[in-house]
Amino acid sequence: MSPSDTPPAAVPVTPSDTASKPHDLHGAGRATTLIHHAYQPPGGFAAVQPGVFKASTVFFSDTAALKAREWKDKSGYTYGLHGTPTTFTLEERLASLEGGRQCLLAPSGLSALTLVGQSVLKAGDEVLIPDNVYAPNRDFTRVELAHWGITHRVYDPMDPAGLAAHITERTRLLWLEAPGSVTLEFPDLPALLQVARAHPRLIVALDNTWGAGLAFDPFRLGVPASADTEGVDISVHALTKYPSGGGDVLMGSVVTRDEALHLQLKLTHMRLGLGVGANDAEALLRGLYSLPLRYAAHDRATRHVAHWLAARPEFEGVLHPALPGSPGHEAWTRVATAAGGLVSVVFRGDRHTPERVDAFVDALRVFRIGYSWGGPISLVMPYSLKGMRRFGALAGRDGDTLVRFAIGLEDPADLIADIAQALAVLN
Ligand SMILES: *Cc1c(COP(=O)(O)O)cnc(C)c1O
């Protein structure tokens, strides 16, 4: 669990506390009275939910307040895109969750990832991405960043010693992901960070969606960088997954511990016009209350399913960081205390053709076919290994198929029974 060294967010103000110019419009017409109604509810409303504040326009009480406006911190309100009590509260709680100090919200996990590159990179810079990076981040890097004269290299995340050879004076951003998407190899994060910290220009960003701020502490990985940071510089989180927990909200966060880096990201965030809806922010605030409990339940059930899968003869490998023998298991034990809700299995093409694996996936009844994860319903997704990896045991495995299970909150026994009946179809 990450220590929460950020104080809990204050309960937001109620509408009567906000800057609204009092009007005395006696004698005004019906429409004007409805629009400028004088009633103000009493302040001090306190309840479990901090409230949904919706706004584009935010009022200033007078021109002096307008001229004194300050949107770069949380000292006041200027415009809906720059924050409301709802989004400020969510940001503060997410910063605490990840052991950070500042947080920005973006409309999806992917937009939070792309914000980082757009903010810290310029033409001529190079970015390093791991072989098993979240694929849309690789595509953004390969296509959009390339259009802007930013190059990239793909490194083997399971070879920290080899990382140094990729770093040049042009390298500006290093992406980490733990474990990697789909194939779930868990890298040695402290070792990768140690290599990176020999290069002060290098900004280290982690896609922390899997860890969710609960499996390990991204800002305390035991590698000193400055007096302030012993971990990554930036932690990006697809809130779409575990924090939402409902499969019904898209959002991302960018958490930092350094004020200057946060401000740089925030200025880009503002220029790009990124913002989130108040109802989605409220759904996230509700989800956060039960996040640790849900994460623990996903973790427990997934280990149970993974051990069952590991004893089956159909798979050539079962990939899950907490499973001894899974790539990066040792590295996982050194930094993490939990293992999330994903487990993947590998089918050898000469024993189970991709068509047979598709039939297995189609035969599942409790698991549903669909992208994403973190919600109550277990999900399954087949992937061809053709061209998927450049490094490691899964490179060059063109005829083989990987199936990723995202374990939901159902009874694990029912999930195992479902996989067992679908394997009977395969065999
Ligand atoms: C889902 C996911 C994202 C992107 O989140 P969206 O909200 O779907 O854009 C980013 N990184 C990882 C590791 C993810 O699993």
Side-chain angles (χ1 to χ4, degrees), residues 285-423:
L285 283 165
R286 283 174 140 246
L288 284 188
Y289 293 134
S290 62
L291 172 65
L293 290 173
R294 288 185 287 104
Y295 195 86
H298 287 292
D299 182 11
R300 200 165 46 244
T302 308
R303 291 192 207 212
H304 190 63
V305 172
H307 278 100
W308 183 85
L309 291 168
R312 292 289 305 204
E314 288 86 356
F315 314 120
E316 206 220 331
V318 178
L319 305 167
H320 181 270
L323 210 58
S326 189
H329 170 69
E330 295 301 326
W332 173 83
T333 59
R334 286 196 294 274
V335 299
T337 55
L342 299 176
V343 57
S344 295
V345 294
V346 178
F347 290 96
R348 269 179 51 173
D350 54 359
R351 288 182 59 203
H352 302 289
T353 61
E355 293 71 30
R356 293 309 303 156
V357 176
D358 285 349
F360 160 73
V361 169
D362 286 335
L364 290 163
R365 294 172 192 149
V366 181
F367 286 86
R368 304 297 304 266
I369 301 170
Y371 289 111
S372 200
W373 32 275
I377 294 185
S378 291
L379 299 171
V380 60
M381 189 56 70
Y383 293 88
S384 167
L385 282 172
K386 188 175 170 61
M388 187 189 261
R389 294 290 173 256
R390 294 188 195 183
F391 305 107
L394 296 179
R397 301 276 300 268
D398 287 358
D400 298 350
T401 310
L402 180 149
V403 171
R404 185 188 70 188
F405 300 102
I407 304 301
L409 296 172
E410 303 97 334
D411 293 313
D414 294 328
L415 300 176
I416 287 173
D418 192 33
I419 298 172
Q421 66 81 23
L423 285 174

Side-chain angles (χ1 to χ4, degrees), residues 21-63:
K21 199 172 179 179
H23 292 287
D24 188 6
L25 297 171
H26 287 303
R30 182 74 42 95
T32 305
T33 302
L34 283 174
I35 293 167
H36 294 267
H37 202 283
Y39 176 74
Q40 294 282 321
F45 180 79
V48 176
Q49 301 302 337
V52 185
F53 291 82
K54 304 180 77 162
S56 48
T57 300
V58 172
F59 296 139
F60 299 95
S61 52
D62 51 30
T63 51

Side-chain angles (χ1 to χ4, degrees), residues 215-246:
F216 58 89
D217 191 336
F219 295 101
R220 278 189 189 75
L221 290 161
V223 179
S226 66
D228 191 42
T229 309
E230 293 184 7
V232 300
D233 299 305
I234 299 170
S235 177
V236 173
H237 192 169
L239 309 172
T240 307
K241 306 287 168 52
Y242 295 120
S244 151

Side-chain angles (χ1 to χ4, degrees), residues 106-113 133-137 177 179-181 207-210 236-241 249-252 342 371-373 404:
S108 66
L110 182 56
S111 65
L113 290 168
V133 74
Y134 178 65
N137 191 10
E177 200 169 320
S181 277
D207 184 331
N208 196 28
T209 303
W210 179 93
V236 173
H237 192 169
L239 309 172
T240 307
K241 306 287 168 52
V249 178
L250 291 155
M251 204 181 293
L342 299 176
Y371 289 111
S372 200
W373 32 275
R404 185 188 70 188

